Amino acid sequence: EVQLVESGGGLVQAGGSLRLSCTASGFTSDDYDLGWFRQAPGKEREGVSCISSTDGTVSYSDSVKGRFTISTDNPKKTVYLQMNNLQPEDTAVYYCAVGELLSGTCLYDYGGQGTQVTVSS
């Protein structure tokens, strides 16, 4: 059974930082990449970032580029999201996600339980 366990969410003031962590386990194949998407109340799911397990290539949405950084210790097992200069519009539930980085685009299949990030103004 695939498990994605996120941690690191919380409440922060605008301009602050948070670091999300995700541990993945239970995969029966190596054909996947890890990343993050988010969903704010009343809004559609939005892709945030992902990282290729093959060559370390990363991709970011335009809304977080330059502020968020994705990284990994082991691209099949852990993924982190360093979020700097957080803004109220970043408030959402953040999900660790399984998918694929294809031609510079993150394609997400499914996510974990999620961790809440709330940014106050």
Side-chain angles (χ1 to χ4, degrees):
E1 178 186 359
V2 173
Q3 287 193 325
L4 300 170
V5 180
E6 305 99 334
S7 63
L11 173 64
V12 65
Q13 288 188 332
S17 299
L18 285 173
R19 186 178 190 238
L20 305 183
S21 300
C22 171
T23 301
S25 62
F27 293 92
T28 58
S29 77
D30 288 336
D31 189 19
Y32 64 91
D33 297 323
L34 294 175
W36 298 88
F37 63 78
R38 66 187 182 184
Q39 189 161 22
K43 294 189 177 181
E44 293 187 355
R45 189 176 83 174
E46 177 190 11
V48 175
S49 179
C50 63
I51 182 166
S52 169
S53 61
T54 302
D55 61 9
T57 302
V58 300
S59 178
Y60 298 97
S61 66
D62 288 342
S63 61
V64 307
K65 199 172 295 183
R67 300 186 299 122
F68 291 11
T69 303
I70 192 169
S71 63
T72 180
D73 296 329
N74 179 331
K76 293 299 186 184
K77 293 190 178 296
T78 60
V79 65
Y80 308 100
L81 188 67
Q82 177 66 42
M83 306 184 294
N84 297 330
N85 192 23
L86 283 160
Q87 299 300 314
E89 53 265 34
D90 295 314
T91 295
V93 178
Y94 284 70
Y95 298 88
C96 180
V98 174
E100 182 181 9
L101 175 51
L102 184 63
S103 300
T105 299
C106 299
L107 304 175
Y108 303 98
D109 292 330
Y110 56 90
Q113 293 298 308
T115 185
Q116 177 69 48
V117 171
T118 303
V119 185
S120 63
S121 58

